[in-house]
Amino acid sequence: NAYVYLSTNSGGAWTTSSTGLPINNIADVKIAGTNFLAATASGVYISTNNGTSWSVTNLTMASQYFYQVGTTLFVACNRF
């Protein structure tokens, strides 16, 4: 199982931040503007509240990695 953790005090303490995420194969997390995106084996998930909760944004893109060039975000995925 894989989880995303959140620290609000520069790493002094950590809490789980995986509400709404599948708890398997979380491969990558990136910042996109004011949102966070998570690449998982189940698809791409988004958090619009600083990682407190997550919702699916695309189930067809089972992805492993994000690549960012400037403000453009690319997703490397196994299928589309």
Side-chain angles (χ1 to χ4, degrees), residues 23-71:
I23 305 175
N24 61 354
N25 299 320
I26 299 168
D28 198 6
V29 176
K30 290 283 188 209
I31 296 172
T34 59
N35 300 321
F36 291 94
L37 295 170
T40 76
S42 303
V44 177
Y45 288 75
I46 189 168
S47 175
T48 59
N49 55 9
N50 295 318
T52 301
S53 62
W54 300 80
S55 59
V56 66
T57 185
N58 190 308
L59 282 176
T60 61
M61 293 190 317
S63 53
Q64 297 297 315
Y65 304 104
F66 291 113
Y67 301 96
Q68 190 166 3
V69 178
T71 58

Side-chain angles (χ1 to χ4, degrees), residues 10 13 31 80:
S10 300
I31 296 172
F80 185 78

